[in-house]
Amino acid sequence: MAVTGKPIDRIDGRAKVTGAAKYAAEFNQANMAYAFPVRSAIASGTVTHIDAEAAKKSGGVIAVLTPENAPRLKAFNREELMKVEAALGEDLVPLQDNQVHYFGQFVACVVAETYEQARHAVALIKITYAADEPKIDLSTELLHGFRPEKKAYGATPAQLNANKAAPLLQSAPRHIEQTYRTSTEVHNPMEPHAIVAMWEGADKLTIHDTTQGVMRERAAIAYFFNLKPENVRVISPFVGGGFGGKVSPWTHHFLAVMAAQVVKRPVKLVLTRQMLQINVGRRSTTLQTVAIGAQPDGKMTVLRHHNQTYTNLTNFFEPSGETSEVLYNAPLREITYQVAQLNVGAPTYMRAPGESSGAFGAESVIDELAYELGIDPLELRMINHTTLDPLNQLPFSSESLRVCYRIGAERFGWARRKQQPRQTHNGNYLIGYGMAAATYPGERSPASVRMQIMADGTVKVMSATHDIGTGTYTIMAQTAADALSIPIEKITVEIGDSSLPPAPQSSGARTTATVNPAVLAAGKMLRKDLMQLAIMDANSKLHGKKPEEIAFANAKFVLRSDTSQSDSYIDIMRRNRRTMIEACATTAPASDMRPSGSCTIAPIASEENKDEKKYSFHSFGALFTEVWVDESLGIVRIRRFTSVQDVGRIMNEKTARSQIIGGVIFGIGAALMEESVYDPRWANPVQRTFADYHVPVQTDVPEIDVQFINQPDPHISPIGARGAGEIGIVGVTAAIANAVFNATGKRIRNLPLTPDKLL
């Protein structure tokens, strides 16, 4: 491939830096009104009365929506939503009853001529409640919690080998068991959630939204408003950060659509930074008790990972045992979950959900075991390395974790690390080295792509996928450029529109592995159609030749035996009086050959396609970091970070590196500063806005050395790429905590690693 893999600049970069790229809130409409939600002041109970008279009389107010007058929508039904491939961020359709499930829940909505008028009117509304005592303490509510049978959406069992590890742990020559805590973290994307909703008559709807799933949102809105899916169009060409929090519709989506329906005008609704702390999900707190039994030489005999967390208004809970399902060759592993119900907003996906939290416990206890046994942590991981998926005993489709270890250790200088803590100083700083392993599933789904070549040689590539800041525009163009051997400057990519050929939500690091095989397939089909025109054309130098005799390069076909005999794409179309030729392709894993929707051809099956019966699909990584800890102040500084990743073929070295760097920075925040704390009296977050919620800034981030194995996965697809969006954060918190222990001799098992815990 001539273009694929090269670190070319983003093709959408200029539009973004010049302001030409339009985000959801910028799609202003004629005669547009503005909606602003009213939030509850209690966390549990009912709304007994809403006095909105003063608000209705306020300047510019058009309507006030409450449970008494809001449009009636379909009741929530998870099974029915799954049938139409839809899901909600929280299982709550707003303004359909007077129940309050968490502090800040949307209980009414004002629509006005301007944003300022709507927000002012909200302050005039008086609400009376019948409040119940909120459930907010995790430890207390876990006593009344439940043991789920399945993980979210009925995917896989949540309880693995329950109660089977205890005898092996008791009989193991060496045994270690510790409890680790991760904090509640909140999405704070650069672009806040925003939506513009426009009705055309009573049965057609257009939505501009910031979303990671235009097709999922279309399905959900169509379901609840009783519309035909094809009459709902969701448009989201650019997304200013998603990370999981924009995968599914939230309650504000329904408020905007209801408001537009009531006032019969386009309506814009933009959430405030304060609302982002409450109303659009979070990564929930986890308590993880991890135990390992081992031989004196470090060989594991048993691994147990017990996970405790909470949920509300969803069947999703943080699946923090998932790294322990994949890494290390333990003869028996027990992974279980206990889940409490709390009166906080629904937990949701947040970059590497499960793996990010779970790696802190799993990779910290490995470090603790290594210290107890006097074995280097890297050596202990090598001793327990596995080339088979421990759960199904299938070989990994492509696995180079030991190569990641070797390259990372060499680049980082791991050999200089001292086993005993507090051995390296620089003035008042204690210096430590830490490491961790990472893994994340290699996800792939069905996707469709339409490709058109015009008479002037330009090409358009279209799919209802998304670019959430990851570089999807660019790598789709690179794949198309190689499929047709044309300059990337001649390719236009159109995505983020539910009217385009269907593709899944951009989550789970699946987009690259899902959409690009369809781009390649559409390019091959287009090339085949052009070649047939040339072969059948008496005026072509390739007339009458067999397809196997013909090659392609530089936007033309050439005879393999005589490259002087050629025919360009433009000439072929001109002679055949074609202004445009189109191809539409659907590709899918062999195990998921669903119909393609708007593309008319059957899905393409390939023996290179994903086959769960033969292989297990995972990406892997090795992380190394150096920290400096101020002994007097307890402040932790990350001085160096090395991340070596095995994610299959690298489609664009620059955008892939950016993904891993972003993941590491995300992990630095989780390790050192990110935490949302709830007031036990009212169940409201103490960090009420972005100004109170600490995230890393430039001075917190060191030089990050990113390396890729760049070994194509021969089984996941003809492209050979797995996603890089999620795995970059996995293991970062553990690597940092392990380095802090190496520096200070203090083992902190409670994130974030704030100075008070080190002094």
Side-chain angles (χ1 to χ4, degrees):
M1 293 186 176
V3 181
T4 299
K6 290 185 177 179
I8 66 171
D9 293 338
R10 296 171 186 257
I11 64 172
D12 54 324
R14 179 173 292 276
K16 288 182 174 178
V17 299
T18 59
K22 292 181 69 174
Y23 292 79
E26 298 177 294
F27 285 91
N28 293 319
Q29 307 296 316
N31 196 33
M32 186 172 69
Y34 294 79
F36 198 90
V38 182
R39 298 192 292 166
S40 69
I42 65 169
S44 180
T46 58
V47 173
T48 57
H49 181 64
I50 297 178
D51 181 356
E53 292 306 312
K56 293 176 182 178
K57 297 175 183 177
S58 182
V61 171
I62 306 168
V64 178
L65 275 63
T66 71
E68 293 183 357
N69 63 8
R72 296 296 97 184
L73 307 184
K74 280 187 182 179
F76 176 83
N77 186 307
R78 181 176 293 114
E79 289 71 26
E80 292 299 316
L81 282 172
M82 290 178 68
K83 290 179 183 178
V84 298
E85 299 186 9
L88 302 184
E90 59 186 10
D91 300 346
L92 178 65
V93 187
L95 309 190
Q96 303 301 293
D97 58 38
N98 64 349
Q99 296 297 307
V100 177
H101 304 275
Y102 61 89
F103 182 94
Q105 177 185 319
F106 297 149
V107 294
C109 184
V110 173
V111 189
E113 298 289 348
T114 70
Y115 172 84
E116 292 79 8
Q117 289 171 331
R119 188 162 187 171
H120 171 71
V122 165
L124 302 177
I125 293 177
K126 298 178 181 179
I127 301 179
T128 306
Y129 302 95
D132 297 328
E133 187 72 22
K135 298 176 181 179
I136 191 62
D137 183 73
L138 178 59
S139 298
T140 299
E141 299 307 323
L142 279 169
L143 299 175
H144 314 291
F146 65 99
R147 293 170 62 84
E149 293 184 6
K150 299 279 189 178
K151 297 178 190 173
Y153 308 111
T156 55
Q159 313 296 337
L160 177 66
N161 295 325
N163 303 316
K164 293 183 179 180
L168 290 174
L169 287 168
Q170 292 171 3
S171 62
R174 299 295 178 91
H175 169 208
I176 188 168
E177 182 169 11
Q178 297 292 350
T179 297
Y180 304 87
R181 181 187 184 277
T182 65
S183 61
T184 295
E185 302 169 50
V186 179
H187 287 283
N188 283 285
M190 184 178 294
E191 178 197 19
H193 293 246
I195 176 173
V196 177
M198 300 165 286
W199 286 87
E200 300 173 45
D203 62 348
K204 287 190 177 181
L205 178 66
T206 299
I207 294 171
H208 294 279
D209 188 28
T210 172
T211 177
Q212 295 173 242
V214 292
M215 301 303 294
R216 175 177 279 196
E217 182 170 336
R218 183 183 81 164
I221 295 296
Y223 174 84
F224 284 103
F225 285 85
N226 199 28
L227 300 171
K228 295 179 180 179
E230 59 268 26
N231 285 352
V232 178
R233 185 183 180 190
V234 181
I235 303 170
S236 184
F238 298 99
V239 180
F243 315 111
K246 297 176 180 177
V247 167
S248 302
W250 295 89
T251 52
H252 69 275
H253 291 89
F254 296 96
L255 292 180
V257 176
M258 283 192 289
Q261 187 178 43
V262 168
V263 304
K264 302 186 186 313
R265 293 167 56 177
V267 168
K268 178 193 287 189
L269 193 161
V270 180
L271 297 192
T272 65
R273 288 288 173 185
Q274 290 89 340
M275 293 174 185
L276 297 191
Q277 309 301 309
I278 295 176
N279 299 100
V280 285
R282 74 243 342 107
R283 193 199 302 279
S284 56
T285 296
T286 70
L287 297 172
Q288 306 169 44
T289 302
V290 192
I292 296 177
Q295 300 291 343
D297 62 0
K299 191 70 174 176
M300 289 186 192
T301 59
V302 60
L303 167 64
R304 183 172 67 193
H305 195 156
H306 180 53
N307 304 275
Q308 297 176 305
T309 186
Y310 64 83
T311 190
N312 188 27
L313 296 171
T314 177
N315 69 344
F316 175 83
F317 55 88
E318 190 73 12
S320 46
E322 293 197 337
T323 51
S324 293
E325 294 180 1
V326 179
L327 292 174
Y328 310 120
N329 185 21
L332 178 87
R333 65 195 66 220
E334 176 184 320
I335 304 171
T336 59
Y337 291 89
Q338 178 84 359
V339 180
Q341 294 277 358
L342 297 185
N343 287 120
V344 297
T348 195
Y349 308 106
M350 189 170 184
R351 203 169 198 163
E355 281 83 2
S356 177
S357 299
F360 175 62
E363 290 299 292
S364 293
V365 81
I366 288 284
D367 197 77
E368 297 208 44
L369 178 63
Y371 181 73
E372 292 295 328
L373 296 176
I375 300 175
D376 182 276
L378 176 55
E379 181 184 351
L380 182 62
R381 287 173 170 84
M382 295 287 280
I383 290 171
N384 291 286
H385 179 75
T386 179
T387 58
L388 299 177
D389 186 319
L391 296 192
N392 56 30
Q393 292 300 297
L394 292 177
F396 294 115
S397 57
S398 176
E399 181 270 314
S400 300
L401 180 54
R402 283 176 291 193
V403 179
C404 294
Y405 288 147
R406 177 180 56 79
I407 293 174
E410 290 175 356
R411 293 188 65 86
F412 182 79
W414 182 256
R416 297 195 299 270
R417 175 186 181 272
K418 295 179 174 62
Q419 179 79 346
Q420 289 300 316
R422 301 181 64 87
Q423 299 300 302
T424 307
H425 304 256
N426 188 320
N428 204 42
Y429 287 98
L430 298 169
I431 300 172
Y433 290 176
M435 71 158 298
T439 186
Y440 195 83
E443 300 283 0
R444 187 182 171 204
S445 302
S448 300
V449 167
R450 180 180 296 114
M451 191 178 294
Q452 298 171 341
I453 185 167
M454 311 302 173
D456 61 359
T458 58
V459 171
K460 186 181 292 185
V461 184
M462 295 162 281
S463 180
T465 186
H466 322 80
D467 193 324
I468 58 176
T470 52
T472 302
Y473 279 104
T474 307
I475 63 172
M476 286 179 67
Q478 288 177 272
T479 303
D482 282 333
L484 294 171
S485 188
I486 62 173
I488 196 169
E489 295 79 15
K490 288 185 173 292
I491 297 174
T492 300
V493 176
E494 292 185 4
I495 57 178
D497 187 333
S498 63
S499 67
L500 298 174
Q505 69 273 8
S506 291
S507 64
R510 83 182 70 239
T511 300
T512 296
T514 292
V515 178
N516 283 277
V519 176
L520 182 64
K524 288 181 177 179
M525 292 176 63
L526 204 57
R527 206 172 67 226
K528 180 180 179 181
D529 292 345
L530 283 166
M531 186 183 294
Q532 277 302 121
L533 288 175
I535 291 172
M536 300 297 292
D537 186 353
N539 294 317
S540 173
K541 294 180 180 180
L542 305 177
H543 175 65
K545 301 298 181 183
K546 296 179 180 179
E548 57 267 25
E549 297 178 289
I550 301 172
F552 68 101
N554 302 318
K556 61 184 179 182
F557 296 112
V558 298
L559 199 61
R560 293 182 187 275
S561 59
D562 181 3
T563 56
S564 66
Q565 302 296 304
S566 65
D567 201 355
S568 72
Y569 301 161
I570 292 176
D571 288 342
I572 294 169
M573 295 184 70
R574 176 181 52 79
R575 289 196 309 272
N576 286 273
R577 298 181 181 180
R578 298 291 190 93
T579 57
M580 184 268 285
I581 298 177
E582 178 180 284
C584 190
T586 296
T587 55
S591 62
D592 194 354
M593 306 295 282
R594 284 176 285 174
S596 60
S598 64
C599 277
T600 56
I601 67 163
I604 295 173
S606 166
E607 51 186 35
E608 292 180 295
N609 274 352
K610 179 178 178 182
D611 186 346
E612 287 89 347
K613 295 181 180 179
K614 295 180 181 179
Y615 302 100
S616 182
F617 296 84
H618 288 269
S619 291
F620 297 93
L623 319 176
F624 300 82
T625 189
E626 176 185 318
V627 303
W628 288 32
V629 182
D630 188 311
E631 193 168 14
S632 299
L633 301 177
I635 296 173
V636 179
R637 298 288 187 190
I638 316 297
R639 297 303 295 263
R640 291 188 297 135
F641 205 101
T642 296
S643 179
V644 185
Q645 297 291 337
D646 170 23
V647 294
R649 183 190 300 278
I650 300 303
M651 303 298 290
N652 181 310
E653 188 180 352
K654 181 178 290 187
T655 57
R657 176 172 283 108
S658 177
Q659 281 298 288
I660 302 304
I661 289 173
V664 172
I665 296 171
F666 225 110
I668 290 172
L672 300 184
M673 56 197 72
E674 290 192 52
E675 183 176 24
S676 187
V677 177
Y678 289 82
D679 188 315
R681 299 167 298 175
W682 317 112
N684 62 304
V686 175
Q687 289 85 353
R688 60 182 297 274
T689 187
F690 190 39
D692 305 324
Y693 186 90
H694 295 175
V695 297
V697 296
Q698 285 89 335
T699 54
D700 299 311
V701 179
E703 178 181 349
I704 300 172
D705 176 26
V706 177
Q707 300 294 317
F708 294 107
I709 302 301
N710 200 12
Q711 179 68 40
D713 185 331
H715 304 293
I716 194 168
S717 77
I719 291 289
R722 300 189 297 270
E726 310 271 11
I727 196 172
I729 187 177
V730 180
V732 174
T733 54
I736 292 171
N738 294 339
V740 167
F741 172 75
N742 185 246
T744 66
K746 293 183 179 180
R747 181 69 67 177
I748 310 300
R749 304 184 181 95
N750 184 353
L751 294 181
L753 306 175
T754 47
D756 58 297
K757 297 170 185 173
L758 283 163
L759 291 176

